[in-house]
Amino acid sequence: MPPATHRLRLAPSLLSADFAALGDAVVAAEAGGADAFHLDVMDGHFVPNLSFGPALVAAVRARTRRPLDVHLMIEEPLRYASAFHEAGGDTLVFHLEARSDPDEMIREARRLGVAVGAAIRPDTPFEAVRPFIGRVDQVLVMSVRPGFSGQAFLPEVLPKVRAARAAIDATGSEADVSVDGGIVPETAHAAAAAGATFFVCGNSVFRGGEVGANLARLRASVEEGAHGALR
Ligand code: DX5
Ligand code: ZN
């Protein structure tokens, strides 16, 4: 479970926003209570989809001062780390299943002075990320198969959220446990109870309803989930 003081943060995923009105979506989500923004970079190799690159991250950077969480679903995150840092990314999240060496990726992020996260797909065991705990700022537990928004949350990843939270707390690190995929109020509650502190939410923020009201519902759920776990 998260320490009582650990801030719970909501990061709308721009993959679900209207790309033709992206600036407006960013401004509306920030006004509606977004703590950060999550940007999904896809290369058509690591995942079977394409999205966007550093130019779009830079365009978003110009519209908000909130932290930008850049999720690199690409085979060679190391090769592009400096480009995404220069574009204004605050956290570079790479996949342990990608081709780049994780130690080199962490070193590169430190050299650039940017925060770094290690992500695991739903089929990757927690043990893959354990060696990096204490050296990363975020552990991202994917709760859907990476590549597409709008999928249903996979509850079988919750034990990995608990394991990551326990391992992070044991090191005294302040790292976030992030959940990404299928986050709606009910699943956000369960993830918060398991120790997640950073909630990526795409369709539940941008597809249907009013962005501020959607974020308020998610906020109430994560707070209730986390506090229930602390009781
Ligand atoms: C999926 C992406 C997610 C996606 C989440 O590969 O990593 O960030 O945008 O979208 P929802 O919240 O709709 O599942
Ligand atoms: Zn993502």
Side-chain angles (χ1 to χ4, degrees), residues 35-51:
D35 299 296
F37 287 97
H38 181 88
L39 292 100
D40 289 301
V41 177
M42 307 184 189
D43 65 356
H45 293 278
F46 185 75
V47 289
N49 197 6
L50 291 160
S51 60

Side-chain angles (χ1 to χ4, degrees), residues 199-219:
F199 304 83
V200 177
C201 26
N203 277 22
S204 62
V205 170
F206 290 116
R207 299 285 171 104
E210 195 271 317
V211 166
N214 294 342
L215 282 164
R217 264 192 301 276
L218 287 160
R219 172 104 40 217

Side-chain angles (χ1 to χ4, degrees), residues 16 71 86 90 103-104 107 111 140 154 158 167 172 188 201 226:
S16 296
H71 183 186
E86 277 159 32
D90 295 283
D103 289 303
E104 276 185 58
R107 260 199 305 279
R111 186 185 74 78
L140 186 152
L154 298 168
L158 286 170
C201 26

Side-chain angles (χ1 to χ4, degrees), residues 14 21-34 37 60 62-64 206 211:
L14 297 179
L22 198 53
D24 295 343
V26 168
V27 169
E30 180 167 342
F37 287 97
V60 171
R63 301 300 296 270
T64 180
F206 290 116
V211 166

